[in-house]
Amino acid sequence: MHAGLPPHTETIPAAMALVGVTRRYRQGEGVIEILKGAELVLEPGQSVALVAPSGAGKSTLLHLAGLLEHPDEGEVYIDGHPTARLSDAERTRIRRLHVGFVYQFHHLLAEFSAVENVALPQMIRGLSRKAAEARARELLTYLGLGHRLTHRPSELSGGEQQRVAIARALANAPRLLLADEPTGNLDPRTSDHVFGALAELVHATGVAAMIATHNLDLASRMDRRVTLRDGRVVELA
């Protein structure tokens, strides 16, 4: 069963939708087709676990959903708007306004505190420093870091650093959150805590989230679970 096939219209009322997406790469003189007409719809406030073996195309799917790559065929809708034919500048603008990313490694700025790391994306978008830091404090406190606001990354544990990265990804209130193995670099107990905080914040903020993970136990706590089979997105029970 395909994962949420939407109608083929110009406006799709979802946070993100993939419609007939195909992605292929050249390898030597040959071509490898990673995605073959993939279909997926993410609704606001919904968390979806993407569970698939290495090499199946998880990163490709995330990159397409986050407008980091162009599909060879098909369409990617963000907040109901088609994006495949947009210029790179327009795609960058949509990413900045509507998409948040969390990676396995947090990529925090070492010279800035937790609050400053979360406030910076908001200030780049045009928010005042006072307002940006107020929202940063709110998000970090919600994630259990109210006592670590002024600490720099080197003074935080791995789990704390990743929670700062989650707050940063959600700072600009994106419509879509994409996470690639966000707890893959953490011990099981810390991973469970960070994953729980992420899932709770997804529901609290109404963002749609797709999280790639190899951890089936964590995936079972998501609203939906999907995998990739023969280049297509398939729902899991």
Side-chain angles (χ1 to χ4, degrees), residues 146-185:
H147 62 302
R148 309 288 273 171
L149 300 177
T150 61
H151 289 66
R152 294 184 179 183
S154 62
E155 301 170 309
L156 301 173
S157 69
E160 289 171 338
Q161 291 173 11
Q162 196 63 311
R163 278 182 278 164
V164 174
I166 291 168
R168 179 183 59 187
L170 292 169
N172 281 328
R175 289 278 287 161
L176 175 66
L177 178 69
L178 300 171
D180 194 357
E181 295 287 350
T183 62
N185 202 38

Coordinates of all heavy atoms in Angstrom, one line a residue, residues 146-185:
G146 N 16.1 24.3 30.9 CA 16.0 25.6 31.5 C 17.2 26.0 32.4 O 17.5 27.2 32.6
H147 N 17.9 25.0 32.9 CA 19.0 25.3 33.8 C 20.4 25.3 33.0 O 21.4 25.4 33.6 CB 19.1 24.2 34.9 CG 19.3 22.8 34.4 ND1 18.4 22.2 33.5 CD2 20.3 21.9 34.6 CE1 18.9 21.0 33.2 NE2 20.0 20.8 33.8
R148 N 20.3 25.1 31.7 CA 21.5 25.1 30.9 C 21.5 26.1 29.8 O 22.3 26.0 28.8 CB 21.6 23.7 30.2 CG 21.5 22.5 31.2 CD 22.7 22.4 32.1 NE 23.7 21.6 31.5 CZ 24.9 21.4 32.0 NH1 25.3 22.1 33.1 NH2 25.8 20.7 31.4
L149 N 20.7 27.2 29.9 CA 20.5 28.1 28.9 C 21.8 28.8 28.4 O 22.0 29.1 27.3 CB 19.5 29.2 29.3 CG 18.1 28.6 29.6 CD1 17.2 29.8 30.1 CD2 17.5 27.9 28.4
T150 N 22.7 29.2 29.4 CA 23.9 29.9 29.1 C 25.1 29.1 28.8 O 26.2 29.6 28.6 CB 24.2 30.9 30.2 OG1 24.4 30.2 31.4 CG2 23.0 31.9 30.5
H151 N 24.9 27.8 28.8 CA 26.1 26.9 28.6 C 26.4 26.7 27.1 O 25.5 26.7 26.3 CB 25.8 25.5 29.2 CG 25.8 25.5 30.7 ND1 24.8 26.1 31.4 CD2 26.6 24.8 31.6 CE1 25.0 25.9 32.7 NE2 26.1 25.1 32.8
R152 N 27.7 26.7 26.8 CA 28.1 26.4 25.4 C 28.1 24.9 25.1 O 28.1 24.1 26.1 CB 29.5 27.0 25.2 CG 29.5 28.5 25.3 CD 30.9 29.1 25.0 NE 30.9 30.6 25.1 CZ 31.9 31.3 24.8 NH1 33.1 30.8 24.4 NH2 31.8 32.6 24.9
P153 N 28.1 24.5 23.9 CA 28.0 23.1 23.5 C 29.0 22.2 24.2 O 28.7 21.1 24.6 CB 28.2 23.1 22.0 CG 27.7 24.4 21.6 CD 28.0 25.4 22.7
S154 N 30.2 22.7 24.4 CA 31.3 21.9 25.1 C 31.0 21.7 26.5 O 31.5 20.7 27.1 CB 32.6 22.6 25.0 OG 32.6 23.9 25.6
E155 N 30.0 22.4 27.1 CA 29.6 22.2 28.5 C 28.4 21.4 28.6 O 27.9 21.2 29.7 CB 29.4 23.6 29.1 CG 30.7 24.5 29.1 CD 30.4 25.9 29.5 OE1 29.4 26.5 29.0 OE2 31.1 26.5 30.4
L156 N 27.9 20.9 27.5 CA 26.6 20.1 27.5 C 26.9 18.7 27.2 O 27.9 18.4 26.4 CB 25.6 20.7 26.5 CG 25.2 22.2 26.7 CD1 24.4 22.6 25.5 CD2 24.4 22.4 28.0
S157 N 26.1 17.8 27.7 CA 26.2 16.4 27.3 C 25.7 16.2 25.9 O 25.1 17.1 25.3 CB 25.4 15.5 28.3 OG 24.0 15.7 28.1
G158 N 25.9 15.0 25.4 CA 25.5 14.7 24.0 C 24.0 14.8 23.8 O 23.5 15.4 22.9
G159 N 23.2 14.3 24.8 CA 21.8 14.4 24.8 C 21.3 15.8 24.9 O 20.4 16.2 24.2
E160 N 22.0 16.6 25.7 CA 21.6 18.0 25.9 C 21.9 18.8 24.6 O 21.1 19.6 24.1 CB 22.4 18.7 27.0 CG 21.9 18.2 28.4 CD 22.8 18.6 29.5 OE1 24.0 18.9 29.3 OE2 22.3 18.7 30.7
Q161 N 23.0 18.5 23.9 CA 23.4 19.2 22.7 C 22.3 18.9 21.6 O 21.9 19.7 20.8 CB 24.8 18.7 22.2 CG 25.9 19.2 23.1 CD 27.2 18.6 22.7 OE1 27.4 17.9 21.6 NE2 28.2 18.8 23.5
Q162 N 21.9 17.6 21.6 CA 20.9 17.2 20.6 C 19.5 17.9 20.8 O 18.8 18.3 19.9 CB 20.8 15.7 20.5 CG 20.1 15.2 19.2 CD 20.8 15.5 17.9 OE1 21.2 16.7 17.7 NE2 21.0 14.5 17.1
R163 N 19.2 18.1 22.1 CA 17.9 18.8 22.4 C 18.0 20.3 22.0 O 17.1 20.8 21.6 CB 17.6 18.6 23.9 CG 16.9 17.3 24.2 CD 16.6 17.2 25.7 NE 17.7 16.8 26.5 CZ 17.8 16.9 27.8 NH1 16.8 17.4 28.5 NH2 18.8 16.4 28.5
V164 N 19.2 20.9 22.2 CA 19.4 22.2 21.7 C 19.2 22.3 20.1 O 18.6 23.2 19.6 CB 20.8 22.8 22.0 CG1 21.0 24.1 21.4 CG2 21.0 22.9 23.5
A165 N 19.7 21.2 19.5 CA 19.6 21.2 18.0 C 18.1 21.0 17.6 O 17.7 21.6 16.6 CB 20.4 20.0 17.4
I166 N 17.4 20.3 18.4 CA 15.9 20.1 18.1 C 15.2 21.5 18.3 O 14.4 21.9 17.5 CB 15.3 19.1 19.0 CG1 15.8 17.7 18.6 CG2 13.8 19.1 19.0 CD1 15.5 16.6 19.6
A167 N 15.6 22.2 19.4 CA 15.0 23.5 19.6 C 15.3 24.5 18.5 O 14.5 25.2 18.0 CB 15.4 24.0 21.0
R168 N 16.5 24.4 18.0 CA 17.0 25.3 16.9 C 16.2 25.0 15.7 O 15.7 25.9 15.0 CB 18.5 25.1 16.7 CG 19.0 25.9 15.5 CD 20.5 25.6 15.3 NE 20.7 24.2 15.0 CZ 21.9 23.7 14.8 NH1 23.0 24.4 15.0 NH2 22.0 22.4 14.5
A169 N 15.9 23.7 15.4 CA 15.2 23.3 14.2 C 13.7 23.8 14.2 O 13.1 24.0 13.2 CB 15.2 21.8 14.0
L170 N 13.2 23.9 15.5 CA 11.8 24.3 15.6 C 11.7 25.8 15.9 O 10.5 26.3 16.1 CB 11.2 23.5 16.7 CG 11.0 22.0 16.4 CD1 10.6 21.2 17.6 CD2 9.9 21.9 15.3
A171 N 12.8 26.5 16.0 CA 12.7 27.9 16.5 C 11.9 28.8 15.6 O 11.2 29.7 16.1 CB 14.2 28.5 16.5
N172 N 11.9 28.6 14.3 CA 11.2 29.4 13.3 C 9.8 28.9 13.0 O 9.2 29.3 12.0 CB 12.0 29.7 12.1 CG 13.1 30.7 12.2 OD1 12.9 31.6 13.0 ND2 14.2 30.5 11.5
A173 N 9.3 28.0 13.9 CA 8.0 27.4 13.7 C 7.7 26.8 12.3 O 6.8 27.3 11.6 CB 6.9 28.4 14.1
P174 N 8.6 25.9 11.9 CA 8.4 25.4 10.5 C 7.2 24.5 10.4 O 6.6 24.0 11.4 CB 9.7 24.5 10.4 CG 10.0 24.0 11.8 CD 9.6 25.2 12.6
R175 N 6.7 24.3 9.2 CA 5.6 23.4 8.9 C 6.1 22.0 8.9 O 5.3 21.1 9.2 CB 5.0 23.7 7.5 CG 4.3 25.1 7.4 CD 2.9 24.9 7.9 NE 2.0 24.2 7.0 CZ 0.9 23.6 7.3 NH1 0.4 23.7 8.5 NH2 0.2 23.0 6.4
L176 N 7.4 21.8 8.6 CA 7.9 20.4 8.4 C 9.2 20.3 9.1 O 10.1 21.1 9.0 CB 8.1 20.2 6.9 CG 8.8 18.9 6.5 CD1 7.9 17.7 6.8 CD2 9.1 18.9 5.0
L177 N 9.4 19.2 9.9 CA 10.6 18.9 10.6 C 11.1 17.5 10.0 O 10.4 16.5 10.0 CB 10.4 18.7 12.1 CG 11.6 18.3 12.9 CD1 12.6 19.5 12.9 CD2 11.2 17.9 14.3
L178 N 12.4 17.6 9.6 CA 13.0 16.4 9.0 C 14.2 16.0 9.9 O 15.1 16.9 10.1 CB 13.5 16.6 7.6 CG 12.4 17.0 6.6 CD1 12.9 17.4 5.3 CD2 11.4 15.9 6.4
A179 N 14.3 14.8 10.3 CA 15.4 14.3 11.2 C 16.0 13.1 10.7 O 15.3 12.1 10.4 CB 14.8 14.1 12.6
D180 N 17.3 13.1 10.6 CA 18.1 11.9 10.0 C 18.9 11.3 11.1 O 19.9 11.8 11.6 CB 19.0 12.4 8.9 CG 19.5 11.2 8.1 OD1 19.2 10.1 8.4 OD2 20.2 11.5 7.1
E181 N 18.3 10.2 11.7 CA 19.0 9.4 12.8 C 19.3 10.4 13.9 O 20.5 10.5 14.4 CB 20.2 8.7 12.3 CG 19.9 7.6 11.3 CD 19.3 6.4 11.9 OE1 19.2 6.3 13.2 OE2 18.8 5.5 11.2
P182 N 18.4 11.2 14.4 CA 18.7 12.2 15.4 C 19.2 11.7 16.8 O 19.9 12.4 17.5 CB 17.4 12.9 15.6 CG 16.3 11.9 15.3 CD 16.9 11.1 14.2
T183 N 19.0 10.4 17.0 CA 19.5 9.8 18.3 C 20.5 8.7 18.0 O 20.9 8.0 18.9 CB 18.3 9.2 19.1 OG1 17.7 8.2 18.4 CG2 17.3 10.3 19.4
G184 N 21.0 8.6 16.8 CA 21.9 7.5 16.4 C 23.3 7.6 17.1 O 24.0 6.6 17.1
N185 N 23.6 8.8 17.6 CA 24.9 8.9 18.2 C 24.9 8.9 19.7 O 25.9 9.3 20.4 CB 25.6 10.2 17.7 CG 27.1 10.3 17.8 OD1 27.7 9.3 17.6 ND2 27.6 11.4 18.2

